[in-house]
Amino acid sequence: MLYLIFAIGAIFGSFYCVVGTRLPEERSIVKPRSHCEKCGHVLKWYENIPLLSYIFLGGLCKKCKEPIGSIYFLMELLSGALFALCYKVFGINTYFFLALIIVSLVIIIFVSDSKFMIINDSPLVVSLILIFILKWIDTGIISALLSLLYGFIIFGVAYLLRLFGYLVFKQEALGGGDIKLSFIAGMLLGVKLGIVYIVLASFLAFPYAVYITIKNKDNMLPFGPFLVASLLIVFLNMNTLNNILEVLFRY
């Protein structure tokens, strides 16, 4: 079962790469079919098998022999691994499907934000709707509505951080997409763990921020990948983190 989940994850990862690449450029995610970006060669089915085709083709387009972007292979591998990890942690239940929504955002946002510095609204809107429906089915309409309230609270915290960045550093600390993503985080994590999510994302981003500052002070930091990675880490460890917070606030 674990290998099947991995294979399904790799297939979805391939699609998420297309979404993350095409949406920022306002291109259709359906047409044209997958093709070589250099020569336009339309990939046949056996050239478009996640992971395997890249290996068998040696990372080169079959027609023009130019290198195929390794980002597809890496994201397919990461997506498969994360699907399998979510299955190991949760089994098949509501939390598993909620975790897969986060994984989907991990891949899409990593591709779009790191390449274009953009987090598109449509994946976030689809995720919000799916999360609300799953919570409604699992715990009832009151819980689902409460999750929206938590989303607004963490959205507000992120927005205040953005204003703080303007006032203190005279530049954006968080982009609009980052703030909208924080709404999703609040829905999934609640208020306390939502705060943990923001703090952890800052720690994850700090080494890279130092690196790009030293390399080129004008470089902008794509914060979305760190936020969504933090969201997945916190979600997968909710019970442990809640226990730690309970002990800390007890004293």
Side-chain angles (χ1 to χ4, degrees), residues 2 11 17 24 55 78 81 83 85-87 110 128 131 134 138 147 151 162 168 171 187 194 206 214 218 241 245:
L2 189 64
I11 292 169
C17 275
I55 295 172
L78 178 62
F83 267 55
L85 175 62
C86 293
Y87 174 73
F110 183 89
L128 187 155
I131 292 167
L134 284 171
D138 188 49
S147 72
R162 185 184 192 184
V168 177
Q171 62 182 12
M187 286 186 68
F206 181 74
I214 294 173
D218 294 328
L241 290 171
L245 290 176

Side-chain angles (χ1 to χ4, degrees), residues 83 85-87 89-103 134-135 138-139 143 187-189 193 232 234-239 242:
F83 267 55
L85 175 62
C86 293
Y87 174 73
V89 172
F90 296 116
I92 302 294
N93 55 30
T94 302
Y95 283 97
F96 170 71
F97 291 107
L98 289 171
L100 294 192
I101 293 173
I102 303 175
V103 172
L134 284 171
K135 282 187 168 290
D138 188 49
T139 54
S143 175
M187 286 186 68
L188 287 163
L189 303 175
L193 291 183
L232 182 61
V234 174
F235 189 81
L236 291 175
N237 296 278
M238 281 191 299
N239 291 335
N242 273 321

Side-chain angles (χ1 to χ4, degrees), residues 35-170:
H35 59 279
C36 174
E37 294 290 342
K38 297 182 176 67
C39 71
H41 168 63
V42 177
L43 303 184
K44 295 181 173 59
W45 69 267
Y46 53 83
E47 299 173 81
N48 204 26
I49 302 173
L51 298 176
L52 297 179
S53 291
Y54 185 89
I55 295 172
F56 292 146
L57 292 170
L60 302 175
C61 171
K62 184 179 180 181
K63 184 176 181 180
C64 69
K65 304 303 180 182
E66 289 293 322
I68 302 170
S70 60
I71 186 69
Y72 285 90
F73 178 84
L74 294 174
M75 292 301 102
E76 289 164 2
L77 181 62
L78 178 62
S79 182
L82 291 178
F83 267 55
L85 175 62
C86 293
Y87 174 73
K88 287 287 289 184
V89 172
F90 296 116
I92 302 294
N93 55 30
T94 302
Y95 283 97
F96 170 71
F97 291 107
L98 289 171
L100 294 192
I101 293 173
I102 303 175
V103 172
S104 305
L105 289 175
V106 166
I107 305 301
I108 293 171
I109 289 175
F110 183 89
V111 174
S112 67
D113 202 27
S114 57
K115 186 174 182 180
F116 301 100
M117 297 291 289
I118 294 174
I119 298 178
N120 291 91
D121 288 342
S122 48
L124 298 177
V125 172
V126 171
S127 298
L128 187 155
I129 294 170
L130 291 176
I131 292 167
F132 184 83
I133 292 172
L134 284 171
K135 282 187 168 290
W136 187 349
I137 293 172
D138 188 49
T139 54
I141 185 62
I142 300 301
S143 175
L145 291 173
L146 278 174
S147 72
L148 290 177
L149 174 61
Y150 301 147
F152 278 115
I153 292 172
I154 299 304
F155 176 91
V157 172
Y159 187 77
L160 290 175
L161 288 175
R162 185 184 192 184
L163 292 180
F164 179 78
Y166 273 127
L167 293 173
V168 177
F169 302 107
K170 307 302 180 184

